[in-house]
Amino acid sequence: QVQLVESGGGLVKPGGSLRLSCAASGFTFNDYYMTWIRQAPGKGLEWVSYISSSGGTRDYADSVKGRFTISRDNAKNSLYLQMNSLRAEDTAVYYCAREREGGRFDYWGQGALVTVSS
Amino acid sequence: QSVLTQPPSASGTPGQRVTISCSGSSSNIGSNNVNWYQQLPGTAPKLLIYSNNQRPSGVPDRFSGSKSGTSASLAISGLQSEDEADYYCAAWDDSLNGPHYVFGTGTKVTVL
């Protein structure tokens, strides 16, 4: 069965860095685009970034562009999100999700909490 | 901030029909498919409807979706207690900065 498991969340000071990982299993990872989506406490969903199946195409929300970098290692069935220059407003649960055609995210991980606070 | 607008809340008694609207523009709903997600309390979102009106395997047929112009809607027929959750519409937005994915503001459904 398809599984996505995030790790790497935690407490970090403003201006700091953190790297999230998403381990995928149960499907052919290198066939799918992957996405990061976040949800601030008590708030709605916000798309963060996507990466193509080969890793050659990536895009970011304006709110994280220039600070976050999405990457993947198809040999390790893993997705990453490097987050630099973190701000308080980046505090959220970060979900990785598998993307299908039409922009539908058919499988989600359980989420990783990132807290940015001094 | 979200470019897809939903009512903050909706409610109904068991067995009733509840409808949630999602208003967008020509750059998102008007030109791309709409997907709907259900988020039960304390859990990750789940794909509920894709490509405007398609249900993934396992989603009960009491959930249905539709789209007209720059708006979409989700209907829940025969409301059940386990349908109490947050619901989000979503679509690609063909903005000038490049395509970005946008979610709706979310609607909390309460079963009275």
Side-chain angles (χ1 to χ4, degrees):
Chain A
Q1 71 283 19
V2 172
Q3 271 200 310
L4 298 169
V5 180
E6 300 94 339
S7 60
L11 175 63
V12 61
K13 289 182 169 52
S17 298
L18 210 56
R19 188 198 198 204
L20 299 181
S21 299
C22 171
S25 60
F27 65 102
T28 304
F29 183 68
N30 58 16
D31 280 349
Y32 292 89
Y33 282 41
M34 297 295 293
T35 294
W36 287 100
I37 294 152
R38 69 184 181 183
Q39 186 171 36
K43 302 296 185 183
L45 301 171
E46 180 187 16
W47 172 80
V48 173
S49 178
Y50 85 85
I51 187 168
S52 63
S53 52
S54 66
T57 302
R58 315 167 195 211
D59 201 6
Y60 303 89
D62 291 343
S63 56
V64 307
K65 193 171 290 186
R67 300 187 299 122
F68 289 12
T69 302
I70 191 171
S71 62
R72 63 191 296 161
D73 185 336
N74 286 342
K76 294 183 177 179
N77 291 342
S78 293
L79 174 72
Y80 306 102
L81 186 68
Q82 177 66 43
M83 303 183 292
N84 298 332
S85 302
L86 282 162
R87 306 166 180 167
E89 54 264 36
D90 295 318
T91 294
V93 174
Y94 286 73
Y95 297 100
C96 65
R98 188 178 84 168
E99 184 176 340
R100 299 287 302 275
E101 55 276 6
R104 69 184 193 256
F105 308 129
D106 61 348
Y107 286 95
W108 297 59
Q110 85 287 354
L113 176 61
V114 172
T115 303
V116 184
S117 174
S118 54
Chain B
Q1 63 278 20
S2 176
V3 297
L4 303 182
T5 302
Q6 301 177 233
S9 63
S11 63
T13 57
Q16 275 191 328
R17 176 183 171 91
V18 169
T19 302
I20 300 168
S21 61
C22 175
S23 178
S25 68
S26 58
S27 65
N28 41 66
I29 294 177
S31 51
N32 293 294
N33 286 330
V34 177
N35 305 307
W36 288 89
Y37 298 89
Q38 177 194 57
Q39 187 175 31
L40 297 170
T43 69
K46 166 191 164 186
L47 180 64
L48 194 66
I49 296 287
Y50 68 94
S51 297
N52 306 320
N53 54 18
Q54 302 298 303
R55 281 187 309 277
S57 173
V59 172
D61 60 5
R62 65 176 184 276
F63 293 96
S64 62
S66 64
K67 183 182 108 168
S68 178
T70 60
S71 294
S73 63
L74 173 72
I76 310 173
S77 303
L79 190 66
Q80 298 185 7
S81 58
E82 58 260 38
D83 299 333
E84 191 159 284
D86 293 324
Y87 294 82
Y88 296 91
C89 59
W92 279 105
D93 186 287
D94 300 323
S95 70
L96 292 176
N97 294 337
H100 286 179
Y101 199 76
V102 290
F103 286 95
T105 49
T107 299
K108 183 176 184 60
V109 169
T110 301
V111 181
L112 302 171

